[in-house]
Amino acid sequence: MGAALPNEATDLIDGLYAGDELTRKELVRLLKLRSKETMAYAAQKADEVRRRIYGTDVYVRGLIEFSSYCKNDCYYCGIRKSNNNADRYRLSKEEILSCCENGYELGYRTFVLQGGEDPYYTDDKICDIVSDIHKLYPDCAITLSIGEKSYESYKRYYDAGARRFLLRHETADNEHYAKLHPESMSPDNRKRCLFDLKEIGYQVGSGFMVGSPYQTSDNLVSDLRFLQELKPDMIGIGPYINHKDTPFAGEKNGTLELTLRLVAVLRLMFPYALIPATTALGTISPNGRELGLKCGANVVMPNLSPVETRKKYDLYENKICTGEEAAECRNCLERRVEFAGYRIVTDIGDVKKHA
């Protein structure tokens, strides 16, 4: 009986590896198979796929967390509007450009501007910042991660020089979405944003939390199905980690094991996607990011934000790398990536399309 689980899992994983589309029932079953042998085999096949397409290259993205203000009140997030204990900050354009200058000297060729949905940064302000970065660093890609906007706003950012946009859908199931967000937020609008971004021409990244409150295996399969519909260029997932100043303060965190299994499944389902080994993975386990790379991830996002603001961008508890200078983050990650058997490259790191 003990050998049956690995054999069943092997068939399902081999199907994904061969490019088959598993049924909903098969995907649920795969996510519930929890043996070490299953995990090891999924990781092995996922790593084979990423090496075939991307080799051992790991792309770095310089992350600039430029605002901890947010108009939204998502129940899981430490910078939610209603958290009166949050230590808020905003970076000026000059501070953001200084982060870019530092990052460029460290070899980064992609800058990720991430912040809460902060009305202070009007479209004019965002376009001004993006335009200046684009002029100063024309050989770099500019990624935005600033939430839900109108089609017209996204088009303005694109025209100013942004070419990538990250917007996790967080959960594709409407009922589950309503348990994580206030009524003022809509899953349909979030999905609309993602398809608008694709239509405009962005390289689009989406993704979801693993182990968020009330999440079921069926919810996770809905996430995978939505991603199949969206066909994103980048897929970012990470374990849910609670925060003491949110309604979910007492909820359990997502697990390393399930997150890694899903990273491997995503690599098999989306061979060409750019998949980060996230900071949240490194937060729940000291070697979480290395394990993510071994399961098919091929992007890391070291922090370029000023050290004095890093602890303030407090999405969840015990976030790592909040006290390190940018150069320390870069050197630490390079060592970790090499130890895992891969190599950091300073390429702009565009997604590779199907041949």
Side-chain angles (χ1 to χ4, degrees):
M1 191 75 179
L5 287 180
N7 286 345
E8 179 187 0
T10 297
D11 291 342
L12 294 172
I13 292 164
D14 283 346
L16 286 179
Y17 183 80
D20 297 341
E21 185 168 317
L22 301 188
T23 66
R24 190 177 191 92
K25 185 177 179 181
E26 288 171 330
L27 284 170
V28 169
R29 184 62 184 146
L30 179 57
L31 295 182
K32 289 183 175 179
L33 294 174
R34 297 177 181 269
S35 71
K36 289 183 179 178
E37 294 87 353
T38 299
M39 187 64 243
Y41 189 67
Q44 174 197 327
K45 302 306 283 187
D47 190 52
E48 285 179 21
V49 171
R50 68 97 69 191
R51 286 175 185 266
R52 185 175 75 234
I53 296 168
Y54 288 101
T56 59
D57 291 353
V58 174
Y59 301 120
V60 287
R61 316 300 202 200
L63 180 63
I64 303 169
E65 297 162 335
F66 68 93
S67 174
S68 66
Y69 286 85
C70 191
K71 68 177 185 180
N72 294 330
D73 226 4
C74 306
Y75 303 147
Y76 49 83
C77 183
I79 64 169
R80 64 195 302 264
K81 178 180 66 175
S82 293
N83 180 10
N84 294 323
N85 294 325
D87 190 356
R88 310 286 183 177
Y89 73 91
R90 293 182 175 111
L91 297 186
S92 66
K93 182 175 79 167
E94 290 70 30
E95 288 172 315
I96 293 170
L97 293 176
S98 177
C99 293
C100 293
E101 181 181 9
N102 192 10
Y104 195 85
E105 290 171 358
L106 291 169
Y108 301 144
R109 295 299 178 264
T110 295
F111 303 121
V112 181
L113 273 59
Q114 179 174 297
E117 291 195 25
D118 182 356
Y120 170 82
Y121 292 95
T122 61
D123 287 353
D124 285 345
K125 283 188 171 73
I126 293 293
C127 289
D128 183 45
I129 292 166
V130 168
S131 178
D132 276 11
I133 296 172
H134 185 57
K135 287 172 188 170
L136 287 166
Y137 307 102
D139 56 334
C140 294
I142 301 168
T143 303
L144 296 177
S145 180
I146 54 175
E148 299 176 19
K149 307 286 184 181
S150 68
Y151 184 99
E152 291 72 26
S153 294
Y154 289 144
K155 183 67 165 61
R156 285 191 63 189
Y157 310 152
Y158 187 89
D159 291 342
R163 287 296 178 268
R164 299 171 181 168
F165 204 103
L166 307 180
L167 181 66
R168 286 186 178 185
H169 67 273
E170 299 299 8
T171 176
D173 182 271
N174 287 3
E175 187 177 334
H176 186 220
Y177 188 95
K179 293 177 179 179
L180 304 182
H181 302 88
E183 287 185 11
S184 58
M185 298 184 69
S186 155
D188 292 337
N189 188 60
R190 204 159 186 88
K191 291 173 183 177
R192 185 271 306 165
C193 289
L194 286 161
F195 285 104
D196 281 354
L197 289 160
K198 284 203 73 171
E199 183 179 321
I200 290 166
Y202 284 93
Q203 289 185 35
V204 174
S206 193
F208 53 91
M209 291 180 290
V210 179
S212 58
Y214 313 111
Q215 188 180 68
T216 65
S217 294
D218 207 54
N219 293 153
L220 289 170
V221 172
S222 294
D223 290 321
L224 297 175
R225 289 289 193 231
F226 172 68
L227 291 171
Q228 285 179 313
E229 179 188 355
L230 180 66
K231 298 180 176 62
D233 302 289
M234 300 163 278
I235 304 172
I237 68 168
Y240 163 75
I241 304 176
N242 67 33
H243 191 288
K244 61 181 174 54
D245 295 321
T246 70
F248 292 157
E251 296 288 341
K252 290 182 180 179
N253 290 338
T255 66
L256 176 71
E257 184 269 338
L258 181 56
T259 307
L260 292 175
R261 189 140 33 100
L262 279 158
V263 170
V265 167
L266 286 166
R267 174 56 66 200
L268 293 168
M269 292 180 71
F270 303 92
Y272 290 84
L274 295 164
I275 301 175
T278 61
T279 302
L281 263 179
T283 298
I284 62 168
S285 173
N287 62 340
R289 286 175 296 185
E290 293 93 318
L291 292 171
L293 293 173
K294 291 182 177 182
C295 289
N298 64 333
V299 173
V300 290
M301 296 175 65
N303 205 325
L304 289 175
S305 308
V307 171
E308 60 269 20
T309 67
R310 291 189 192 182
K311 284 186 171 66
K312 300 177 184 180
Y313 198 77
D314 192 24
L315 304 182
Y316 50 81
E317 299 281 4
N318 303 312
K319 186 178 169 186
I320 57 171
C321 301
T322 56
E324 294 180 344
E325 295 286 352
E328 291 178 298
C329 272
R330 168 73 157 83
N331 294 335
C332 171
L333 265 180
E334 185 150 11
R335 290 193 300 271
R336 287 174 174 274
V337 167
E338 287 177 358
F339 184 76
Y342 307 95
R343 68 183 188 109
I344 279 185
V345 293
T346 55
D347 192 289
I348 195 170
D350 282 325
V351 67
K352 293 188 178 180
K353 299 294 186 180
H354 291 262

